[in-house]
Amino acid sequence: MNAFDLSRLRPRLPSPLEPVEDERFARRGLTLLLKREDLIHPDLPGNKWRKLALNLGAAAGRPVLTFGGAYSNHLRATAAAGRLLGFPTVGIVRGDELAGRPLNPSLARCAADGMRLEFVDRATYRAKNDPATLAKLLERAPAGAYVVPEGGSNVLAVQGCVELGRELRGAADTVAVACGTGGTLAGLAAGLSPGQRAWGVPVLKGGFLGAEVRALQEAAFGGPRGDWTLDERFHGGGYARVSPDLEAFARDFEARHGLAIERLYVAKMLHGLTTLAEEGAFPAGTRLAAVVTGAPDGSQSAASSR
């Protein structure tokens, strides 16, 4: 077995699928299920495990360079993988104005796990996929560094997320997932059976994600796969923004079900799914699976004020 195969970290796979009693769904004849991806591994939870597993196998112990914002779950998971499996990590962080400030809890965790943080201006960050810009960033990285894109979304990540869909075959009619870069949705939809639908909730505004998902499926599978759709209404003002209404919804969901809810992704997806249920968007008898892609951490209260 490859020494950097994440399976030696004993992931909990398949992740649990738990029924939830919620009268907002039950009174409309709907079944709500939570796909507990957050329980896969304490340091590499949810879709981060799915996206990183094949990429780290391809890196085969080389240093890994990747990208993210100040509250990036992906950066944190990559740093944790480096600590657990013993390879160097470099995180290119959006916003050079952050370089002289104290690290927020998310970036502090990355640094504690051994990740070298490099802060770049936003223009450079936007151009990170330009070959010349990437070459300059790699000049400062350890020799032979393996590049994983922002959010971990590339062909290997999409292929890794196919298994999530396969685990849900026959278990639900609609599967809801929060989306940042689109890789999880692209793979999830490809893994589901005909007749099942994947419903994605973008957490960033801009309306660009559909093209990204299509491009990822084209690269991974040679064309579109599965039945998927996006609902752009529930980003709450954009990434790392948590409105008072969303915060109230998340607190209420936590009180109802005794489950801590991650705000930047999971809360937005659950809020959207609950809103659609209350609007009568699903016929009675529909089984709805909500993918819990991660657990909350201490940085979210700071992120919510951005």
Side-chain angles (χ1 to χ4, degrees), residues 20 71 91 96 108 116 137 160 162 175 194 207 211 225 228 250 262 274 280-281:
V20 174
Y71 298 95
D96 58 347
R116 192 175 91 200
L137 294 172
V162 170
V175 181
R225 291 289 187 277
W228 59 270
E262 189 272 334
T274 304

Side-chain angles (χ1 to χ4, degrees), residues 70-95:
Y71 298 95
S72 170
N73 295 325
H74 168 68
L75 285 183
R76 205 164 61 250
T78 304
R83 170 176 57 82
L84 292 167
L85 297 171
F87 61 88
T89 58
V90 179
I92 307 298
V93 184
R94 180 179 60 245

Side-chain angles (χ1 to χ4, degrees), residues 7 33 73 91 157 189 197 278:
S7 65
L33 305 159
N73 295 325
R197 178 170 65 112
E278 293 181 322

Side-chain angles (χ1 to χ4, degrees), residues 6 41 58 63 70 82-83 111 130 144 168 175 177 187 197 243 260 270 272 282 295 303:
L6 272 69
H41 190 277
R83 170 176 57 82
D130 173 72
L168 287 163
V175 181
V177 66
R197 178 170 65 112
S243 68
L270 288 170
F282 306 108

